[in-house]
Amino acid sequence: MSIFAWLLVVALAACAAPDAVGALASTAPRKSAPFQTRNLIENHQKGLKLRVSTTSIDTSGQYVTVSWSGVEDPADTDMVAMYLADRDPSETWPMKYIWTSTVPNAQRRGAGQYFFQVYNYYEPIKFVFLRGAFGDKFIAATSENITSTNPQQPTQVKLAFTEDPSEMRVTWLTQYEGNPIIRYGLSKKDLSLSVTANVSTYTPADLCDAPANSTGWKEPGTINSGVMTGLEPNTRYYYVVGDEGEGPSSKVTSFISAPTPEDTVHLLALADLGQYNEDGSRNFAYWYQYYEPADEFYAIDTMQYTMMHMILAAVNNEAEQDGTVVTYPALHMEARTGKYHSAWHNGDVSYARGAEWQWDTYGHQIEPVTSRIPTMYTMGNHEYDDPNAYDSRFSTSVDSGGECGVVQQKRAPMPTVTERDMFYSINHGPIHFLQLNTEANFEPGSAQHDFAVADLAAVNRSVTPWVVVGFHRMMYTDSYYGFTPTSSQVVAADMRAAFEDLFFEYGVDMTWQGHLHNYQRTCPVYNNTCVDYDDEGVARGPIHVTMGHNGFMLTPFYQPEAPNAFDGQPTFASFGYCRAEVNRTHFNLQMLDSLRMELRDEFVLYKPEGWQLDREANLQVMASVTPVPFPMLIPISGWGAVVEKIFPLLAMQDLAGALEAFGPSTNIWKVLNGKFRDLEGPFMLKTVNTIIDFVDARLNATILEILANGALPAPAEDIMASYDFVASAWKGRIASLISSEVV
């Protein structure tokens, strides 16, 4: 457990008034409570009943009523959680859960009910009523098991291109191996073409680390994947997947086959999407070495819960995925238009991070898109990173939860160079896409860098005048994270050293990336210098577009001073996605706000008909550019130390002030404790500035030394300088940018 969590429980439990902040833990929780395996002992309570409205579901995604009664002395720490039925809850994680205190009248009556959405998880599931103090959870009641009556129902259907534009791959899941077949044709009533699909799966032995191969493991079912061949270009095809003979099949769905270089292409562009529980229950969130499963320590509507989520907003971008609530409906609406040729998702896809059932949640939620629109993926840190991942360039990162890229590649096969070298390229209408893996080695001399060099050198710009390179981490970034090997600025510098000259020489038009959870774009740039447009209006250099604002907690972590490449360029901390319309002469990229469905940014790149790449001219521009230095950064570890460790101590010392600033009567409390929360830029700004104001009124270097009691990781003056640096960004440029984007 991080020190701030321990301090929060001990300090606030000792000092808080129960009627003001709700029930607080009477003892400090042990690490990973309440879901640490040794805590979950069987202690069924007489009279407590936990019932389910059905023991079988006919359709994946069906709602099940879970009811409980006979609860003596209901507590805010009581929970109902869903588990894999054939696994001992002491050996796995809960799949989802609720605090029973959030159900109206449940505390007064000692009874209540909740409507849980249940997918076909290819294993039976059950519900468990958990009671006890935070450090000593126990199982008070268990429901009957729930199974699927339709285990071969095709689910999580995904389309993807292969290297051959006359083909289309389709992948789906079932529980067992059957006789999978794809039927397709030019109309709903004429599915006369067919192809047999292959079957595969993966096991814990295929994954490289915990929790994916241990506490987070779940059987994936059978992965069915086949390729439709002989497709005419830019043509609508209809298809259905299922078992040959009497087995169940999917709904008839359609897609548009690969366009020709002469066609106008419509695209969606995504990154950092994630998933959420449509029934309003909570996911079990694994936050690794930062916070452990911190969300599980505190009941909702307590000061601990509220402060923890304030701290997460200030220092961590991997905690919540509230934006998916608005982005998924927007993407579903786009998919129903039937106009899109493809979607491109550049990393951080499901955010399962070793909780394998969350891939099922993602697969079901994205299916209305991926069953209609071929979707092409790249690896993000939350799919790939682990010290044991193949060719990993990050020796300490465990962001994938032990998945190491295997789960994503198995569930959504891409035309990668090899099964382990997860990078590739394809032509798509007038665009050449090069998709790279920033989590594997990309330095000159690596297999990936060699592939990129050879690929760009071979592009025929007479056929595909546009080149887009997709990857997860940013090549240019405005983030104030800048010192550790995995930090945004360090990786961006490494990427520029490896690729900037190559991309400029070969006339790459754009890069698409995520990782930073906001939307930003540079000017046409080289060496942090804007190189603008030539006399015909053609951009002289690549524009780098960060589009990591799809669903996960936003990160308007901008520097106090803008890097030259971003100065005056659009920057938004609001949930959304991108779409594009492209022909041989115009590339129109739009960013939409998915909450309001409003256009927030748009730009158009132009090339005259017959345009040709002039590498020599590009080399001359490179030689003439005077690099513009990037703004000076300082380590921000002091910011984290103050917000995580000292802020809770200050709240303990002045509980009355804390209640006034972010207690139950405040908007911060109400939003953070809500079921579906608005965590866009303005609310994040208010939350973080509330922390800053609270700290600034109570802290200086002398008080910091007293509170830390000699346990400071650096001199107090350095910690305060680090804190002041980030605070100045939030009070200055971040506030200005967010205020200017409010609609």
Side-chain angles (χ1 to χ4, degrees):
M1 186 200 320
S2 69
I3 189 171
F4 96 80
W6 184 84
L7 289 169
L8 215 53
V9 172
V10 174
L12 293 175
C15 299
D19 59 340
V21 300
L24 299 179
S26 59
T27 60
R30 294 193 293 270
K31 184 176 180 180
S32 300
F35 298 131
Q36 191 176 42
T37 56
R38 67 173 178 266
N39 291 337
L40 292 181
I41 60 174
E42 297 274 352
N43 184 15
H44 286 234
Q45 295 190 332
K46 185 178 180 180
L48 200 165
K49 304 295 184 184
L50 185 64
R51 297 182 174 92
V52 291
S53 58
T54 181
T55 57
S56 62
I57 59 169
D58 300 320
T59 304
S60 191
Q62 183 174 324
Y63 276 78
V64 174
T65 303
V66 180
S67 59
W68 58 94
S69 61
V71 180
E72 294 185 4
D73 299 322
D76 286 350
T77 54
D78 292 343
M79 310 173 75
V80 173
M82 188 173 81
Y83 281 89
L84 296 170
D86 295 336
R87 297 281 297 277
D88 183 343
S90 293
E91 298 176 354
T92 187
W93 290 341
M95 302 167 75
K96 58 170 74 175
Y97 69 94
I98 62 161
W99 301 104
T100 59
S101 62
T102 63
V103 175
N105 300 316
Q107 301 300 84
R108 178 178 58 81
R109 296 170 51 233
Q113 65 178 23
Y114 198 87
F115 302 103
F116 282 92
Q117 186 178 35
V118 178
Y119 295 121
N120 185 353
Y121 296 104
Y122 312 111
E123 293 188 49
I125 59 98
K126 64 185 176 186
F127 288 88
V128 172
F129 199 101
L130 298 171
R131 305 207 71 189
F134 289 99
D136 294 290
K137 282 289 179 192
F138 62 89
I139 298 171
T142 303
S143 76
E144 295 180 90
N145 292 353
I146 300 175
T147 59
S148 172
T149 61
N150 195 1
Q152 292 303 93
Q153 176 192 358
T155 64
Q156 307 181 48
V157 179
K158 296 182 180 70
L159 295 165
F161 296 110
T162 73
E163 303 92 335
D164 185 339
S166 69
E167 296 179 346
M168 184 69 68
R169 177 177 293 280
V170 58
T171 303
W172 71 99
L173 271 62
T174 56
Q175 185 162 345
Y176 307 114
E177 180 177 337
N179 299 298
I181 191 169
I182 308 162
R183 301 190 186 278
Y184 60 105
L186 293 172
S187 74
K188 291 182 179 179
K189 297 181 179 179
D190 180 20
L191 303 179
S192 56
L193 302 173
S194 66
V195 63
T196 301
N198 296 318
V199 297
S200 65
T201 190
Y202 55 90
T203 70
D206 296 314
L207 309 181
C208 65
D209 217 334
N213 60 11
S214 58
T215 51
W217 169 254
K218 185 200 75 68
E219 295 289 342
T222 297
I223 301 169
N224 310 270
S225 190
V227 177
M228 294 174 272
T229 61
L231 307 181
E232 294 296 321
N234 202 34
T235 301
R236 183 167 298 280
Y237 281 86
Y238 297 81
Y239 75 101
V240 65
V241 301
D243 265 9
E244 190 168 13
E246 298 300 319
S249 61
S250 65
K251 295 179 180 179
V252 177
T253 313
S254 69
F255 63 89
I256 304 173
S257 58
T260 73
E262 305 302 321
D263 291 320
T264 297
V265 179
H266 294 91
L267 318 170
L268 294 174
L270 314 168
D272 300 84
L273 179 56
Q275 33 74 38
Y276 73 104
N277 294 331
E278 294 179 65
D279 57 19
S281 63
R282 302 287 293 176
N283 271 338
F284 181 77
Y286 184 55
W287 299 335
Y288 310 111
Q289 69 270 36
Y290 303 109
Y291 304 105
E292 299 299 335
D295 194 17
E296 282 41 75
F297 286 124
Y298 320 118
I300 200 167
D301 275 326
T302 60
M303 183 66 89
Q304 300 105 309
Y305 181 95
T306 304
M307 288 189 66
M308 180 190 71
H309 284 267
M310 292 177 68
I311 292 167
L312 291 172
V315 299
N316 186 273
N317 61 347
E318 299 169 350
E320 301 291 344
Q321 37 196 319
D322 298 86
T324 55
V325 175
V326 294
T327 299
Y328 271 111
L331 295 176
H332 294 172
M333 183 187 68
E334 294 280 17
R336 287 193 296 269
T337 67
K339 73 178 184 180
Y340 288 97
H341 292 86
S342 62
W344 300 81
H345 193 148
N346 285 303
D348 284 8
V349 175
S350 76
Y351 281 92
R353 297 168 289 184
E356 296 306 292
W357 46 86
Q358 292 184 23
W359 277 104
D360 294 321
T361 305
Y362 167 79
H364 281 85
Q365 288 183 325
I366 200 65
E367 184 174 359
V369 177
T370 58
S371 63
R372 295 180 173 101
I373 305 173
T375 302
M376 309 303 290
Y377 294 97
T378 59
M379 290 290 162
N381 54 305
H382 289 300
E383 288 80 51
Y384 199 87
D385 281 13
D386 187 274
N388 296 317
Y390 174 72
D391 201 29
S392 174
R393 74 183 308 272
F394 302 113
S395 61
T396 60
S397 177
V398 295
D399 288 352
S400 77
E403 292 179 1
C404 300
V406 173
V407 178
Q408 178 179 312
Q409 181 67 355
K410 289 287 188 181
R411 287 176 175 251
M414 294 292 106
T416 53
V417 172
T418 69
E419 194 173 55
R420 298 200 299 175
D421 290 308
M422 297 179 187
F423 41 87
Y424 61 96
S425 68
I426 64 171
N427 288 341
H428 186 59
I431 314 166
H432 180 79
F433 279 96
L434 170 60
Q435 299 292 103
L436 300 177
N437 179 9
T438 54
E439 311 314 301
N441 285 307
F442 54 69
E443 285 72 17
S446 66
Q448 183 166 209
H449 192 273
D450 289 347
F451 175 82
V453 171
D455 181 78
L456 292 176
V459 177
N460 185 343
R461 302 303 282 269
S462 298
V463 176
T464 54
W466 303 103
V467 173
V468 175
V469 183
F471 38 78
H472 181 61
R473 295 183 189 250
M474 303 83 67
M475 188 165 168
Y476 272 82
T477 179
D478 194 4
S479 171
Y480 53 54
Y481 281 97
F483 280 84
T484 66
T486 60
S487 67
S488 297
Q489 291 293 351
V490 169
V491 176
D494 292 342
M495 291 187 67
R496 291 193 300 273
F499 292 121
E500 185 158 36
D501 287 356
L502 177 69
F503 290 175
F504 198 92
E505 178 181 351
Y506 283 99
V508 168
D509 297 289
M510 272 189 275
T511 69
W512 291 354
Q513 56 258 300
H515 198 60
L516 193 66
H517 298 170
N518 60 18
Y519 172 85
Q520 288 187 293
R521 61 179 168 94
T522 68
C523 57
V525 67
Y526 176 72
N527 259 343
N528 199 31
T529 301
C530 294
V531 293
D532 298 323
Y533 301 83
D534 67 17
D535 293 341
E536 292 185 289
V538 178
R540 286 194 173 97
I543 294 176
H544 302 275
V545 186
T546 298
M547 49 184 74
H549 62 314
N550 290 178
F552 237 74
M553 180 179 279
L554 296 168
T555 52
F557 297 167
Y558 314 130
Q559 300 174 47
E561 178 187 349
N564 191 63
F566 291 99
D567 193 18
Q569 301 301 314
T571 295
F572 293 99
S574 56
F575 295 114
Y577 62 96
C578 293
R579 66 188 183 191
E581 180 177 330
V582 189
N583 60 31
R584 295 187 62 81
T585 58
H586 293 80
F587 199 126
N588 183 327
L589 186 71
Q590 299 178 331
M591 190 278 273
L592 286 95
D593 178 322
S594 52
L595 175 63
R596 304 164 189 85
M597 286 309 296
E598 292 180 353
L599 184 66
R600 303 298 296 274
D601 185 37
E602 180 176 21
F603 67 96
V604 180
L605 296 181
Y606 167 76
K607 289 181 179 178
E609 188 66 54
W611 174 90
Q612 291 292 322
L613 172 67
D614 189 340
R615 288 174 56 199
E616 290 302 321
N618 289 347
L619 291 171
Q620 290 176 13
V621 172
M622 291 164 60
S624 67
V625 167
T626 301
V628 175
F630 286 84
M632 183 69 69
L633 296 177
I634 69 172
I636 64 165
S637 55
W639 163 260
V642 170
V643 172
E644 291 183 14
K645 303 174 184 179
I646 304 303
F647 171 49
L649 289 174
L650 295 173
M652 177 190 70
Q653 289 187 338
D654 184 6
L655 184 59
L659 289 171
E660 181 180 359
F662 41 83
S665 64
T666 65
N667 184 58
I668 289 176
W669 178 291
K670 293 173 183 176
V671 172
L672 289 178
N673 288 279
K675 182 180 288 187
F676 297 117
R677 313 177 314 172
D678 176 12
L679 298 185
E680 291 201 308
F683 179 78
M684 293 192 68
L685 177 66
K686 179 179 180 180
T687 300
V688 177
N689 280 343
T690 297
I691 295 175
I692 293 171
D693 291 343
F694 192 86
V695 170
D696 284 354
R698 295 162 175 84
L699 185 68
N700 55 40
T702 301
I703 295 174
L704 176 62
E705 289 183 324
I706 295 172
L707 289 174
N709 195 26
L712 291 177
E717 291 77 10
D718 293 347
I719 291 176
M720 291 302 300
S722 171
Y723 166 82
D724 290 339
F725 172 76
V726 179
S728 71
W730 279 98
K731 287 292 187 178
R733 182 163 172 258
I734 296 174
S736 176
L737 288 171
I738 289 177
S739 298
S740 68
E741 72 179 67
V742 174
V743 293

